[in-house]
Amino acid sequence: MSSKELSKLPEPVIIRDEDASHDIAISFDHVSKFYKLYSSDRARLAGLFSRKVKYKTRRASDDLSFQIKRGESVAFLGNNGAGKSTALKMITGVCYPTHGTVEVHGRVSALLELSAGFDRKLTGRENIAFRGKLWGLSKEEIAELEPAIIDFAELGDYIDQPMRTYSSGMRARLGFAFASSIKPDILVVDEALSVGDKTFKKKCLKRVRELLKGEDVTVLFVTHSLSSAKQFCQRGIVLEKGRNIYEGPIDDAVAFYESRD
């Protein structure tokens, strides 16, 4: 799609609030996300200042529509490049649609890229406080959550060491412990249950099951494990080339997805 065609698209509409009383937790209405692919970094920089610079367009989401009700647990199924992660990034606010309407009602906690977003100069304990402030939590709320987060992460004395001394697994464990402890309205899980050793994986699975018991918690689950999708989710949405090509009860969605191979 050319720059002229992109400029003619209607402006995207993004509605995001923490109203957990809304019956619909997430809604995508004819959402598309385009990425501009330039021939080089130099061309990409020039493209910021001129529309004459040539580029190719990649559609990560293509006229994508779906609704997820409050309290539902839904799996996104699809091969690599189907648009699953892009949809999750728009839900969490990491990226924005090129056009279409995205609505997200409720506090979102994301179990994706768990080791990202930490300040490596700060200690694990200081990072808990830092992330808590970003979430808008008060000092009292952070102090109340901190012991449980530290206990779950199982980092021992490392909790007071700079995070530059942590392994990627240790950072992921602290990320999971924080993201799963703040009682979200919407929980987004993207292959995050592969954290740590077998014992810690079981602990993570148990935590997710506990979160799922909350009737008002909406869960989005992206995984290549169809057995995990069946275990955790009521409904499935199958994506292909950025489009919603099927949605229904999880067993039916898994059967449809397997039939595409």
Side-chain angles (χ1 to χ4, degrees), residues 9-218:
L9 292 174
E11 290 294 318
V13 176
I14 302 168
I15 301 170
R16 185 180 299 276
D17 56 48
E18 295 191 0
D19 180 10
S21 66
H22 203 289
D23 290 339
I24 300 298
I26 298 164
S27 175
F28 274 41
D29 186 20
H30 298 288
V31 171
S32 292
K33 174 64 178 178
F34 301 113
Y35 287 104
K36 298 176 181 179
L37 305 179
Y38 292 93
S39 59
S40 66
D41 289 339
R42 186 175 181 178
R44 184 178 299 107
L45 178 61
L48 296 174
F49 303 98
S50 173
R51 293 183 178 181
K52 295 181 179 180
V53 180
K54 293 182 179 180
Y55 59 83
K56 295 180 180 178
T57 302
R58 176 178 174 268
R59 295 175 182 244
S61 294
D62 187 5
D63 200 36
L64 180 60
S65 296
F66 60 83
Q67 282 192 342
I68 297 175
K69 295 180 180 179
R70 180 77 52 200
E72 274 195 299
S73 53
V74 179
F76 280 175
L77 307 175
N79 296 328
N80 291 333
K84 305 184 300 296
S85 293
T86 299
L88 294 189
K89 287 177 180 178
M90 286 189 281
I91 290 167
T92 56
V94 173
C95 71
Y96 301 96
T98 305
H99 70 96
T101 301
V102 173
E103 291 189 50
V104 180
H105 302 286
R107 175 179 285 187
V108 181
S109 180
L111 302 181
L112 21 115
E113 299 180 7
L114 293 171
S115 62
F118 286 118
D119 186 332
R120 297 194 179 197
K121 295 179 182 178
L122 301 179
T123 67
R125 192 186 302 274
E126 289 168 339
N127 266 290
I128 292 172
F130 177 66
R131 279 199 168 183
K133 289 178 181 177
L134 292 178
W135 261 79
L137 301 178
S138 67
K139 288 183 179 180
E140 292 74 20
E141 289 173 318
I142 294 170
E144 184 179 346
L145 287 171
E146 183 184 282
I149 294 171
I150 292 173
D151 179 66
F152 191 92
E154 297 180 1
L155 296 177
D157 292 337
Y158 273 96
I159 195 64
D160 291 307
Q161 297 302 310
M163 288 197 69
R164 64 174 180 270
T165 66
Y166 289 21
S167 67
S168 60
M170 292 167 71
R171 293 194 299 272
R173 283 161 63 176
L174 184 59
F176 184 97
F178 180 88
S180 63
S181 296
I182 54 179
K183 299 178 181 178
D185 302 309
I186 300 170
L187 180 67
V188 178
V189 185
D190 184 5
E191 297 288 8
L193 302 183
S194 58
V195 176
D197 56 26
K198 289 183 178 180
T199 302
F200 197 80
K201 286 178 186 177
K202 289 182 179 178
K203 192 175 180 180
C204 292
L205 287 168
K206 183 179 178 182
R207 170 62 63 85
V208 172
R209 289 192 188 98
E210 290 172 353
L211 290 170
L212 284 171
K213 289 179 181 178
E215 293 183 359
D216 294 330
V217 177
T218 305

